[in-house]
Amino acid sequence: MRAIRRFTVRPVLPAPLSALGTLAGNLRWSWHPPTQDVFAAVDPDLWESTGRDPVRLLGAVSRTRFEELAVDEGFLGRLREAEADLQRYLTEDRWFQRHVADGPRAIGYFSPEFGITAVLPQYSGGLGILAGDHLKAASDLGVPIVGVGLLYKHGYFKQSLSRDGWQQETYPVLDPDGLPISALREADGSRATISIALPGGPDLVARIWVASVGRVPLLMLDTDVEGNPDHYVDVTDRLYGGNSEHRLRQELLLGVGGVRALRVYSRITGAPAPEVFHTNEGHAGFLGLERIRELTVAEGGPRLDFDTALEVGRASTVFTTHTPVPAGIDRFPRTLVEQYFAEGSGATPGVPVERVLALGCEDYEGGDASVFNMAVMGFRLAQRANGVSLLHGHVSRGMFNGLWPAFDEAEVPIGSITNGVHAPSWVARELFDLAAQVGADPEDLDSYWSAADKAPGEQIWSVKRQLRETLVHDARRRLRRSWEKRGAATAELGWIDDALSPDVLTIGFARRVPSYKRLTLMLRDPARLKRLLLDPERPVQLVIAGKSHPADDGGKKLIQEMVRFADDPEVRHRIVFLPNYDIAMAQPLYPGCDVWLNNPLRPYEACGTSGMKAALNGGLNLSILDGWWDEWYDGQNGWAIPSADGLDDPDRRDDLEAAALYDLIEHEIAPRFYDTDHDGVPTRWMEMLRHTLKSLGPKVLATRMVRDYVRQLYGPATDNARSLNSDYAGARELAAWKHRVKAAWPQVRVEHVESSGVGDAPEVGAVLSVRAFVALGELSPEDVDVQLLHGRADAEDLLSDTTCTVLALTESYEAGRHGFGGQVTLDHAGPFGYTVRVVPRNGHLSSYAEMGVVSTA
Ligand SMILES: *Cc1c(COP(=O)(O)O)cnc(C)c1O
């Protein structure tokens, strides 16, 4: 029988135990083992059987157990200590308070998914895990971020397998009352809500939930509200499900609703309004339109004109693009967006729909004018934009060059900040404990890396074996459950007790299954893989996991192929596919692997973070030089699989790359792993492990990443926004100035360039003097920079490795003509070339390419 309505009854804790509620109510427990120990002490068996979920644990503990604990002085002491520690963590000055002067008062961080802990399953993969790690690291650093996301009734899906290895999806209901979140309430106790006008219907209403991620609040919106029609209730049914219109509604809720939720949150709690808005991927981009509405037409707002509001919004917005895969970018039919932003009745009433449509329009070469592109809008609504690794920044500049067609790819104003991972969430406790034994301070990660040299090899190796063993046990448990679901009888499953071994070289591969990640590359030559797995002297074992998007049958086929291979009785003790990859599986998986395999089609892996998590646990990466690995592989911290990118034939490319992969495992990796000294320690392996920890540890951290965001993007955005926003005079001037520059630009010309000083046989050290005569029409010399670009010239006179020298105004003539001059020293031998160009100049621009206009000699 089905219930018509369900709810979760929250436990009433005896007064002396009320701190348990406080600890369970802040997700900091999820990366703080001492707090987890307190929960485990409440009831060790229940702690395990509730999946280490404090809210479920407290709901399941009997009253007699609570009564016992309420008079257990030992327990109460630990509880008080844990609570005091949390209070200290939440209130003391941290990096941001100590080292950042005049930083933003608050930052709104918008993301469609957040992967914070296994017990709040609101993520599908890397994007969500990254967002979770961003919030946690911000909390550790004291950076005043507020997260904004949606609360999906079913989260993503749970994966299981059919008998023949086909992915099965289920969507269990998540009851918000059973989750570690709380309702945001008005002073009178009623639920705080926001609403959005939708075409042809009543307003969509959403409730606001708050998850406490250490010091960082995460606001989550859901539409399962009484009064919403059913098709509105479904807006937050699941992550990445449904058709285009469903997706659009979710993104409206996230962007427009998210800004409204922030306002409600500030009104109720007194929290400062964000000075910076960060959109994690294009999905949340509509936030910029709601801010324009606030600034142009909203009751009580400053009533700016559209262009001024656009400048205010842009100055304070950061856009991070996350994928070079075209299918990863949201593109809606233009007509659909038109409907949802209809002028009088749409989501942002009063904002001209033509202006909205223009922001997402692919009005560049190769673009499709019938679609509305969320990434394109993202760039137009944000003054600062970045990719997520050096290589991805480069790829993104190429991909979006069409938005700045007058500039070379290298000058496209998209930077990069390489992703990172939150060490306290991902490093095995056993490794931190070992580091502490040799003097490392658990609060100071730098001491963790240096502990890599201090800890004796046998000890590190014995901890690694222990971690492998933990993984093996977890894998067997999952395998058994999976086979039971697949319909096997217990009598058939004896082999699982011997599946995998804690003494065999363990390679991990777990990630979502889009085709570019090439789950099945390792199956290219099945016989060769089999030989590697079954090698009598130096066997290898593989632990594999990954979900395919429910609509992606191609991905499901790859999973099936993998499962069928792993089902073979000849190899099933050495290769396993574990269903339902999620945070709970990931946490023991990374530490238990010796090698982390990553073989995407270069350059589609924008960054990749799973290899970073492996590295922090002393795992060695075996990866195509893509994403972060392209940047930080140094020849000694793992292995690079040579990539045959550039090869047109994809089959041949896969053959070559797979062969290189087998070769590396057979000739480099396995021999090194099994080459042990008289204590059983593989010394040459240990060298690489130590080097990995020391060289990569400090770089791959989410705290490094968040500091980079603060210094390179949030800080400058704050400064610029403040200077534009006082009375909005700066923004008005900037908007008017841009208007004037655009109108006058057709008259801007480099008329004549003269040079002297190098003769006809120039040598290194010679000084080149350049004079340029330019016509600026209506503009004045202060409105522009005249740049001398110089560098290596190739056979077609194309410049590369260019340096830019700004020429100084030397004289002015009639009719808007001016002379500019300057010098450069020729410091390299070889072909040299230069040119002169004019670009707009204004202290409020983040780059001379920002406006996309240039006039070249
Ligand atoms: C880290 C992580 C990911 C992302 O892995 P990539 O290497 O970036 O693909 C996905 N899912 C889970 C559960 C993770 O922990």
Side-chain angles (χ1 to χ4, degrees), residues 125-126 129 426 511 517 581-583 586 590 608-610 613:
I129 303 285
W426 297 110
R511 45 183 57 86
K517 294 197 188 234
Y581 181 42
D582 67 355
I583 293 177
Y590 300 122
T609 53
S610 53
K613 295 178 241 176

Side-chain angles (χ1 to χ4, degrees), residues 656-668:
L656 288 172
E657 295 184 7
L661 167 63
Y662 300 131
D663 283 346
L664 279 167
I665 294 175
E666 184 175 342
H667 302 306
E668 307 273 339

Side-chain angles (χ1 to χ4, degrees), residues 717-799:
T718 305
D719 294 344
N720 204 24
R722 284 180 188 163
S723 72
L724 292 181
N725 290 4
S726 61
D727 281 348
Y728 302 106
R732 280 197 189 89
E733 270 168 37
L734 179 61
W737 179 83
K738 279 192 176 177
H739 195 74
R740 192 162 63 80
V741 168
K742 271 189 201 140
W745 204 259
Q747 272 78 54
V748 172
R749 269 190 319 278
V750 180
E751 299 201 312
H752 178 61
V753 179
E754 292 173 355
S755 66
S756 59
V758 293
D760 49 9
E763 291 180 347
V764 169
V767 176
L768 171 75
S769 292
V770 173
R771 279 164 51 102
F773 299 91
V774 304
L776 296 180
E778 303 288 305
L779 300 181
S780 67
E782 297 79 62
D783 294 324
V784 299
D785 268 334
V786 177
Q787 300 176 330
L788 173 66
L789 281 174
H790 49 98
R792 195 187 313 279
D794 73 7
E796 265 101 55
D797 286 345
L798 287 175
L799 293 175

Side-chain angles (χ1 to χ4, degrees), residues 123-127 129-130 133 419 421 426 510-512 516-517 581-587 590 596 598 605 607-613 628:
Y123 60 92
S124 82
L127 185 73
I129 303 285
L130 178 80
D133 282 6
N419 286 340
V421 297
W426 297 110
R511 45 183 57 86
R512 292 178 303 109
Y516 78 87
K517 294 197 188 234
Y581 181 42
D582 67 355
I583 293 177
M585 184 197 295
Q587 281 175 328
Y590 300 122
W596 194 254
N598 180 38
E605 189 65 84
C607 178
T609 53
S610 53
M612 298 178 170
K613 295 178 241 176
W628 74 283

